[in-house]
Amino acid sequence: MKNVQTAIQHAYDAKPSEFKSAILDALNDKIQNHIEVKRMELAGSIFREDDDEEQQSNDSETEFQSSSEGNVDEDI
């Protein structure tokens, strides 16, 4: 936000090159913040997917063991 305020001040002071620089800095800050948020979202979704797959794998193993144990009891 400081860059935008600085840009406005440069516009009032009729300093076009400083205005342009401040606007570009403000845009760059916004872009970098957006990229960081997207990285965090992606990292979170990757870890969530890994946890979901691991949970499903554990559920399948438990289900398989339960059905196998049931068959063993029937044979006895």
Side-chain angles (χ1 to χ4, degrees):
M1 189 69 172
K2 183 178 183 235
N3 290 332
V4 174
Q5 291 171 343
T6 303
I8 292 169
Q9 186 60 47
H10 289 314
Y12 283 131
D13 296 340
K15 298 179 179 176
S17 63
E18 288 87 352
F19 171 79
K20 178 182 176 182
S21 178
I23 291 294
L24 291 175
D25 288 345
L27 290 173
N28 190 37
D29 289 346
K30 289 278 191 184
I31 291 168
Q32 292 302 320
N33 289 339
H34 184 74
I35 289 171
E36 187 61 31
V37 167
K38 290 299 179 183
R39 281 184 185 155
M40 297 301 279
E41 288 175 0
L42 180 60
S45 70
I46 289 171
F47 289 123
R48 246 192 330 268
E49 289 174 7
D50 289 345
D51 289 344
D52 291 345
E53 289 173 4
E54 185 176 316
Q55 182 62 36
Q56 289 174 354
S57 176
N58 289 340
D59 291 346
S60 297
E61 289 174 12
T62 303
E63 185 177 312
F64 177 73
Q65 289 173 352
S66 297
S67 64
S68 298
E69 290 170 359
N71 293 339
V72 171
D73 291 339
E74 291 174 6
D75 291 339
I76 296 178

